Structure formats: structure tokens, C-alpha cells
Amino acid sequence: MIYAAIERLLSYAFTAGLSPAEDLPWLKNRLLSLFGLPGWEEDNDTVGESLPEILQAMTGYAAAQGLLPQDSPTGRDLFDTRIMGEVTPPPSAVVRRFRELESTGPQAATDWFYHLCQDCHYIRSERVARDIKWKTPTPYGELDITVNLSKPEKDPKAIAAARSLPATSYPACALCRENEGYAGRLDTAARQNLRLIPISLGEEPWFFQYSPYVYYPEHCIILSGEHRPMRIDRATFRRLLEFVSRFPHYFVGSNADLPIVGGSILSHEHFQGGRYVFAMERAPIETPLSFPAFPGVRGGIVRWPMSVLRLRSASAEELVSLAGQVLDSWRDYSDPSVSLLSHTGDTPHNTITPIARMREGQPELDLVLRNNRTTEEHPLGLFHPHAPLHHIKKENIGLIEVMGLAVLPARLKEELALLEACLLTGKDPADDPRTAKHAPWAAEIAAKHPGFTRETCGEVLRQEVGLVFSQVLEHCGVFKQDEAGRAAFLHFVQKGLGGAPCPH
């Protein structure tokens, strides 16, 4: 069977454009060596034609021969990535082809690179397809909801085995440039099929890659060549605008640089981008603003549950200057009337989640005002999902969710199915530990939607999850969507930025 699988993989690599015909005999020998085979034999075994089927056959053989670091999902992932590393074009060839295509237009280059990352199985499309996705209409527009099933669960066998591995600081983190080609370990993903495109931002070396989990179309990561912590400053705004000027069909944004309101990786400066229009981008400006010191900037307060200033100008430098002033003013801004404190002692709380895009041929920045203060009542964060919503979403709200895409935990697949059964049969969800956390919410749904049926119950639940997510975003807004919040937001604009509402 292994010979048939190798033959299938070589055919796939040639058809997908990963390997030219001239390389196939060489690749065959490298694969034979990988499997410890002394020579070639013909066999008539049947192997599926899809790449996941081919790799499943190969890792099954490797497991039977004792070639895996561990016969577990993690061990098989490590080995099949090693296999795909053999047929993935080398970094120099990938960069050269990207540059050739970019000379004809940036979209041609990213289209090719995105398909390459799928074809070489760095993006495991069959896993991404498992994610459960839907849209929910809300007062803020149509929000995207995803129950994330593509990101691997922690493998108990791999976790246990990793305890005995020698400590290493290489690579320093999952976003370091050194991951390209790395073999991985039971506690670190293999990256032999990862390819990076070097780019320059702010006259510094940065690298462009795609996310293996693609939460939205062409979800990319732009990472600093230096392992250094996340930071938001004027240079950040300049780099974001530089990126969208080079790739105007993409947006790009940065997670904030403080815990709770930042992303899951604060240790390595990076951005995320892609080719998707989120609900926040579609949201209109609710209060147009003028900035007399920056006459070329048009902007305003966005109608969005979080607190967003949108700025646009023909001049990127003017945008950077005003955005820098917003950041400087916000870092030290407090308004006790809306529970907003910039510091607790020497600990800072205020920062910004910035997003850049091109709109109507001009650069645009959305600046989302964030605060990570905790209180006794809200120990995970005052401007973080509050406890009554934790049954749906407890994790930090980072860049992707700020823009209107919920990335919800995999546990909800089972819990929502069980909850649907409870609602249809009248069983009390509090009797099952898997659904007990949802019981008060389920009672509200039953009262709100009397008479739902087997045909409608699942959809009702999904839409109610989306409405919970809109509440999550409201909790994260530092200036609330009420009269006091709007007045406080406008006060910051006037006092901190010298801005003013435009006359209607």
C-alpha cells in the first residue's frame, strides 16, 4: 500500500503544481528514504485520490512500522507535515514566484500564494470545513458566528509525553520567522510546509504568511522579523497603512498590546489581515467629526457596539499624525462618570486596536478604544464579556471579534445540540452538567420564542447565540450605546483631540 500512496502523492504534487516533472524521481527516492524503504515495488493496493486520504494511508503505514514519534493525532500531524515538506517548493522558489506575480499585480501574487498554502496542506482545508458558521442580524448589522472545530484540541497523550522532552527556546514562539521548515515536537507544531514571504514595513524585515486556521477568507498573518512584544504606537499605524498600500485588496489590523484586550500571543509583534468585509467595516459613521488641526481628514464615531473612531485621508502621514494624537490622548484619558480609568497606580489600562484598509482609493483607519481594567465585580475585565455571557464566550475579545466575527469554543457544538433537545422535550438543562450553565438563557429563549418546532429550534438557538455575541461586544465597549456613553465619547473627542461634531 505504501508504494501506491507514494505514487498518488507524487501525482498530486505534480498536478497541483507543487513539484515539476523533473523533480519527481528525486522526490520518490526521498519519500522511500523517509519510510525506510530500500527500493521500489509495484503494488495494486487502492488508495484514495484526495490528499487527506493519501496522507491517512501514509501515516497509517508509518504507525504500523513504528515510524511516528507517537501514535496519536499529534504524532500523525507531525509526520504528515514532514511528508508534505518534501513536496512543498523550497522558500526561494516560492518567494521568486510571488515576486514575479506581484510585478503584474498584488492580487495575482496573493491568489497564487493562498492556493499554494492550501495545496501543500499548511492550510488543512478539510479541517477548516468542519467549522460551524452562520450569520445573525443584529442592531449593528449582520454578525459572523463561528464555532471553531478546525484548531486541534489539546492531545492528552502528547501533553503527557511533552513533559519528558528537553526544554528548548527554539523557536522562541509560534510566530517566529524560524518556524519555517521546523520539524516540530509533541508540544510544538511542525512547520516543514510553512512558507513565508519577506516584506519590508517601516524599513524593517517583516514576513507574510497565511493562518493555518483561516477564520475568514485569505486570513493572513504579518509578523515582525524580530521576536519582540506587541506594541501600539505611531510606527504601528504607519506599518499598517504601508501594508494596505502594497496590498490594497486586503485589510490589516493589530491586536492591542495589553492583556485581556489583546490577542492570545502578546510576546511577538504581528498583524492579521485578509480579504473579507466584516460587519464593522460595513457599519456607518453615526457622528461625523471634524479635526481643525487636520483639515484633510474625514472621520467620525462609528455606529458599533465597541467604541470606534474612523479616520480617512488622502495623506497617509496625516492619518498617522492624527492617529498618534488619538493614541497619546487615550493612553492617559480617564472619565470616572463612565467608570473609565486610564491607570491603577502605575499599571496602564488604555490602548487601541487599530485596523487599516483602502476605501474609495484612500487609506482609512478604524481605531477601537480599549481598556483592560479589572474590578472586584468583574475580575476578568470591566470591558470584557461579563459573567452572565460566559456560557457562550469567556475568552478575550481580540482583533477578529472586535470586527464582528465570533470565534466560539468547540464545546458549543455538543452543548447546543443537547440544549435543543431540552427545549423540544421540556427536559431541564440544569440536570445535565454539560448544559447547566445555559439553563437561565434557555428559559429566556423559551419565553421569547413560544411554540418553536423541531424544524425551527436549531435556527432559533443559533440566532440567539449571535445576539449574545452582540452583547459581548457591547460589554467590551468603553463608551456604551446610551446617552451617557455617547456624550462621554464626544467629550473625549473634544477634550483630547480638539475635534467637533460636523454640522448637519
Side-chain angles (χ1 to χ4, degrees):
M1 178 194 68
I2 187 58
Y3 299 101
I6 291 174
E7 200 71 68
R8 284 283 194 199
L9 181 63
L10 293 172
S11 175
Y12 170 86
F14 175 72
T15 303
L18 298 176
S19 305
E22 297 87 343
D23 288 348
L24 296 182
W26 173 75
L27 282 173
K28 177 187 285 188
N29 286 323
R30 290 187 63 84
L31 291 169
L32 289 173
S33 176
L34 178 61
F35 286 97
L37 299 169
W40 183 258
E41 296 178 15
E42 298 295 335
D43 66 40
N44 297 316
D45 290 338
T46 301
V47 176
E49 295 187 8
S50 73
L51 183 58
E53 290 173 317
I54 296 167
L55 293 175
Q56 183 178 14
M58 288 180 145
T59 55
Y61 175 87
Q65 299 299 313
L67 300 176
L68 301 183
Q70 180 188 77
D71 190 7
S72 66
T74 299
R76 291 185 179 230
D77 280 358
L78 288 169
F79 196 82
D80 74 17
T81 303
R82 184 179 175 187
I83 293 169
M84 290 309 298
E86 294 290 342
V87 299
T88 301
S92 59
V94 173
V95 173
R96 183 167 57 250
R97 183 58 177 156
F98 187 92
R99 298 274 187 260
E100 290 170 356
L101 290 169
E102 192 180 12
S103 68
T104 69
Q107 187 175 323
T110 57
D111 283 352
W112 173 80
F113 188 41
Y114 186 55
H115 286 296
L116 172 77
C117 293
Q118 295 173 83
D119 291 339
C120 74
H121 214 226
Y122 182 70
I123 297 172
R124 296 175 182 254
S125 300
E126 76 280 4
R127 292 186 182 174
V128 174
R130 299 175 193 167
D131 289 347
I132 303 169
K133 300 181 179 183
W134 68 91
K135 295 178 182 290
T136 297
T138 74
Y140 308 105
E142 200 170 53
L143 302 182
D144 293 291
I145 313 297
T146 297
V147 176
N148 176 31
L149 304 176
S150 58
K151 196 168 185 177
E153 298 281 344
K154 297 294 184 182
D155 180 352
K157 288 177 68 176
I159 292 171
R163 293 195 186 103
S164 63
L165 294 175
T168 178
S169 58
Y170 181 88
C173 78
L175 293 179
C176 281
R177 188 259 182 278
E178 289 78 15
N179 281 280
E180 187 176 34
Y182 183 60
R185 312 190 322 161
L186 290 171
D187 60 351
T188 307
R191 291 288 184 255
Q192 289 103 323
N193 56 350
L194 167 64
R195 295 296 178 264
L196 302 172
I197 303 298
I199 61 175
S200 176
L201 294 177
E203 300 182 346
E204 289 184 349
W206 285 62
F207 296 87
F208 171 85
Q209 68 167 83
Y210 285 103
S211 166
Y213 309 117
V214 285
Y215 292 135
Y216 50 85
E218 300 181 46
H219 179 182
C220 61
I221 301 172
I222 303 93
L223 53 98
S224 170
E226 178 186 353
H227 180 72
R228 65 190 185 205
M230 294 291 293
R231 62 188 182 194
I232 302 296
D233 54 20
R234 281 172 168 78
T236 305
F237 304 140
R238 190 171 285 110
R239 291 188 191 103
L240 295 175
L241 293 172
E242 188 177 346
F243 181 85
V244 295
S245 71
R246 180 168 175 176
F247 301 101
H249 56 301
Y250 276 8
F251 80 89
V252 68
S254 175
N255 270 306
D257 54 357
L258 294 178
I260 298 175
V261 295
S264 58
I265 298 180
L266 290 172
S267 61
H268 194 119
E269 188 174 15
H270 67 284
F271 307 144
Q272 295 182 78
R275 195 176 177 188
Y276 189 64
V277 178
F278 290 86
M280 192 177 80
E281 181 178 344
R282 296 192 297 268
I285 286 180
E286 185 172 56
T287 306
L289 301 171
S290 64
F291 301 92
F294 302 90
V297 176
R298 291 179 293 161
I301 297 171
V302 179
R303 190 178 189 282
W304 190 245
M306 298 186 70
S307 306
V308 186
L309 280 173
R310 179 168 294 160
L311 309 173
R312 194 192 324 174
S313 173
S315 167
E317 275 307 308
E318 191 174 29
L319 270 188
V320 170
S321 296
L322 178 51
Q325 183 173 326
V326 173
L327 178 64
D328 291 344
S329 298
W330 180 246
R331 289 284 194 194
D332 295 317
Y333 188 79
S334 295
D335 186 344
S337 73
V338 288
S339 302
L340 176 63
L341 300 178
S342 67
H343 290 76
T344 299
D346 294 331
T347 302
H349 297 308
N350 286 355
T351 185
I352 283 177
T353 300
I355 300 102
R357 66 181 72 89
M358 298 296 291
R359 194 194 292 263
E360 298 176 1
Q362 292 188 339
E364 181 174 272
L365 282 173
D366 280 354
L367 305 178
V368 187
L369 307 180
R370 311 297 302 274
N371 177 286
N372 77 342
R373 185 165 73 94
T374 60
T375 65
E376 188 173 336
E377 182 182 1
H378 301 291
L380 296 184
L382 178 59
F383 302 105
H384 176 86
H386 293 174
L389 307 184
H390 288 178
H391 65 107
I392 296 295
K393 180 68 177 178
K394 184 179 182 179
E395 298 78 13
N396 292 353
I397 300 304
L399 170 69
I400 294 171
E401 286 160 322
V402 162
M403 296 185 291
L405 190 158
V407 182
L408 301 180
R411 61 176 172 81
L412 286 176
K413 179 183 179 181
E414 178 187 32
E415 291 172 8
L416 291 177
L418 292 170
L419 200 59
E420 181 178 348
C422 289
L423 289 169
L424 288 170
T425 62
K427 180 182 176 182
D428 188 352
D431 294 338
D432 187 330
R434 294 168 295 180
T435 55
K437 66 177 79 69
H438 299 295
W441 179 58
E444 294 174 10
I445 293 173
K448 183 178 176 182
H449 300 278
F452 48 65
T453 65
R454 187 173 301 276
E455 289 71 28
T456 62
C457 187
E459 180 61 20
V460 166
L461 269 177
R462 285 189 289 274
Q463 295 308 312
E464 290 296 328
V465 168
L467 293 176
V468 169
F469 179 59
S470 72
Q471 290 180 271
V472 164
L473 296 181
E474 288 174 340
H475 286 187
C476 296
V478 292
F479 298 118
K480 303 306 181 185
Q481 294 294 308
D482 55 26
E483 186 175 346
R486 291 186 178 94
F489 199 164
L490 196 56
H491 185 260
F492 166 68
V493 169
Q494 293 170 320
K495 179 182 177 182
L497 307 177
C502 294
H504 293 288

